[in-house]
Amino acid sequence: MKIREIKIGKVSIPLKKPFKTALRQVNSAEDIIIKIISDTDEIGYGNAPPTAVITGDSQDSVIAAIRDTIGPKLIGMEIDNMEAIMATLDTAMLHNHSAKAAVDMAVYDLFGKLHNIPLYKLFGGYCNKLTTDLTISVNAPDEMVRDSLEAVQAGFTDLKLKVGTDVAMDIERVKAIRQALGQDVKLRLDANQGWKPKEAVRIIRRFEDMGLNIELIEQPVRAHDFAGLKYVTDHVDTDIMADESAFGPYEVFQLLAMRACDLINIKLMKAGGLHNAVKIANLAETVGVQCMMGCMLESKVGITAAASLAAGRQIITRSDLDAAVLLAADPVAGGVNFAKNELWIAEAPGLGITDIEGWQEIK
Ligand SMILES: C[C@H](N)C(=O)N[C@H](CCC(=O)O)C(=O)O
Ligand SMILES: [Mg+2]
């Protein structure tokens, strides 16, 4: 099976409510979805939601990277020669991790189809069901309490609260939510780089002293401040997870060597796809650091790919794969199935995706 053609398209999917973090606010998921067509007429699907504030990618940069630079180098390559395809993808150009992730995912999809194997089995087949958290956007405390109660009512047992905009307000937010929910719901926080290292230590110690029972805190400080991240990790009891800092395998190697964090958030759009995400999982597993599989605001294409890896590997103990739940519509036929807070991986070959409604090709 050879790569014959790469088609690039996009979908715009409205969100149920605005998604707000310390880094950005959006009302829709703007996803680039690609189709890699084989000489046997099979289609491999991949996606890239450009998240400029995190990965530096825009819609235009993703399209240009795939259409003008990466795509032409891959035409004619054998899907069975994954090693050569991944080396070509890696060396085609620097950066552009979201574009590379879309292509990598579609190649894996075709590889799974060629060998008639679901991707979660290819990655280890550890389980076929995951529990995801649900993200609560950063808002005024009373609105976040309402959203959290609604999420629990809908069956979510783990909530990821966005914070990081204002230290005093963050304490109010978390205190009010914990009081409203009681102790049974798992609360993890994501500051999206919003605190300074000493400020982060102060606020996390306050959470600890107040008995707010926070499971973990994601990315308290600026992405490039590895020393600051380590300072926070070393000075609090709560587990600290690297997200924006844990970009690709090289950054994760550095973070682990420094012991700068307790946990790693793997995202395909940061890593540049499944091939590199596997390397991250291997690095973390080698030193016994658990991972979470995360996502951007994206369609079910990327969520299915991420869930396939998470289900395959035991070291990926947590999932933040809620993007499809946050969307008001699902244009993706096939792929992972959602039931309340659970994701079920399909037994179909590859990603198991069969169609994308409303997909518009970009020439
Ligand atoms: C959607 C997911 N739960 C999430 O919160 N991801 C963010 C970044 C997503 C974005 O801004 O599109 C994160 O973990 O920081
Ligand atoms: Mg995060």
Side-chain angles (χ1 to χ4, degrees), residues 19-21 23-26 49-54 132-136 160 162 190-193 218-219 241 243-244 265 267 270 292-298 303 319-324 326:
F19 180 77
K20 297 186 198 172
T21 74
L23 289 174
R24 67 177 191 145
Q25 172 176 344
V26 283
T51 312
V53 291
I54 295 178
T132 181
D133 61 20
L134 186 70
T135 302
I136 305 297
K160 167 160 142 167
K162 290 290 188 183
D190 189 353
N192 281 111
Q193 312 179 47
E218 210 174 304
Q219 200 61 44
M241 173 179 278
D243 181 9
E244 289 92 320
N265 183 337
K267 287 186 187 143
K270 293 183 295 171
M292 177 157 90
M293 184 55 78
C295 64
M296 300 298 189
L297 274 185
E298 56 190 297
I303 300 300
S319 294
D320 172 36
L321 294 176
D322 58 347
L326 301 171

Side-chain angles (χ1 to χ4, degrees), residues 160-174:
K160 167 160 142 167
L161 312 178
K162 290 290 188 183
V163 292
T165 57
D166 176 288
V167 170
M169 186 74 97
D170 285 340
I171 294 174
E172 286 312 304
R173 290 174 170 122
V174 181

Side-chain angles (χ1 to χ4, degrees), residues 128-281:
N128 66 352
K129 190 187 86 174
L130 301 168
T131 300
T132 181
D133 61 20
L134 186 70
T135 302
I136 305 297
S137 283
V138 61
N139 277 304
D142 57 341
E143 186 170 351
M144 289 182 76
V145 167
R146 272 199 306 278
D147 290 346
S148 300
L149 286 168
E150 218 173 86
V152 171
Q153 199 82 43
F156 289 88
T157 53
D158 306 1
L159 301 185
K160 167 160 142 167
L161 312 178
K162 290 290 188 183
V163 292
T165 57
D166 176 288
V167 170
M169 186 74 97
D170 285 340
I171 294 174
E172 286 312 304
R173 290 174 170 122
V174 181
K175 192 173 121 194
I177 293 167
R178 179 52 89 202
Q179 269 171 0
L181 300 183
Q183 290 293 334
D184 288 347
V185 176
K186 207 179 267 180
L187 294 182
R188 45 186 74 145
L189 308 186
D190 189 353
N192 281 111
Q193 312 179 47
W195 300 325
K196 295 189 173 55
K198 285 184 180 169
E199 195 174 61
V201 169
R202 272 198 302 276
I203 188 171
I204 296 167
R205 283 197 185 144
R206 277 292 296 280
F207 292 146
E208 290 168 353
D209 292 344
M210 290 164 82
L212 295 180
N213 190 18
I214 304 303
E215 180 209 9
L216 62 93
I217 301 199
E218 210 174 304
Q219 200 61 44
V221 301
R222 296 290 300 272
H224 295 108
D225 188 4
F226 287 15
L229 188 66
K230 179 171 170 54
Y231 176 83
V232 179
T233 302
D234 286 346
H235 288 87
V236 299
D237 291 331
T238 309
D239 279 347
I240 301 298
M241 173 179 278
D243 181 9
E244 289 92 320
S245 297
F247 212 77
Y250 181 67
E251 288 78 16
V252 170
F253 172 76
Q254 285 181 305
L255 291 170
L256 295 174
M258 286 174 69
R259 295 173 186 260
C261 57
D262 302 296
L263 300 158
I264 298 285
N265 183 337
I266 307 176
K267 287 186 187 143
L268 301 182
M269 296 304 135
K270 293 183 295 171
L274 291 158
H275 189 72
N276 280 343
V278 168
K279 290 185 202 167
I280 293 176

Side-chain angles (χ1 to χ4, degrees), residues 19-188:
F19 180 77
K20 297 186 198 172
T21 74
L23 289 174
R24 67 177 191 145
Q25 172 176 344
V26 283
N27 299 315
S28 62
E30 304 297 325
D31 207 6
I32 303 288
I33 300 187
I34 67 160
K35 298 179 183 180
I36 299 191
I37 323 251
S38 72
D39 59 350
T40 53
D41 291 326
E42 291 283 0
I43 302 175
Y45 291 93
N47 79 331
T51 312
V53 291
I54 295 178
T55 61
D57 301 312
S58 67
Q59 277 208 347
D60 288 346
S61 73
V62 169
I63 294 165
I66 298 173
R67 184 190 55 207
D68 304 335
T69 307
I70 296 169
K73 292 189 163 61
L74 296 181
I75 302 299
M77 290 191 83
E78 278 287 352
I79 287 296
D80 235 355
N81 197 348
M82 283 290 258
E83 188 67 9
I85 292 181
M86 291 304 155
T88 305
L89 186 56
D90 186 43
T91 53
M93 66 197 307
L94 270 181
H95 311 305
N96 292 281
H97 287 206
S98 301
K100 289 178 180 176
V103 173
D104 157 289
M105 218 181 281
V107 168
Y108 268 99
D109 191 15
L110 285 175
F111 188 84
K113 285 177 172 155
L114 178 63
H115 294 285
N116 199 27
I117 182 171
L119 287 190
Y120 84 94
K121 287 200 173 150
L122 188 73
F123 291 127
Y126 178 62
C127 63
N128 66 352
K129 190 187 86 174
L130 301 168
T131 300
T132 181
D133 61 20
L134 186 70
T135 302
I136 305 297
S137 283
V138 61
N139 277 304
D142 57 341
E143 186 170 351
M144 289 182 76
V145 167
R146 272 199 306 278
D147 290 346
S148 300
L149 286 168
E150 218 173 86
V152 171
Q153 199 82 43
F156 289 88
T157 53
D158 306 1
L159 301 185
K160 167 160 142 167
L161 312 178
K162 290 290 188 183
V163 292
T165 57
D166 176 288
V167 170
M169 186 74 97
D170 285 340
I171 294 174
E172 286 312 304
R173 290 174 170 122
V174 181
K175 192 173 121 194
I177 293 167
R178 179 52 89 202
Q179 269 171 0
L181 300 183
Q183 290 293 334
D184 288 347
V185 176
K186 207 179 267 180
L187 294 182
R188 45 186 74 145

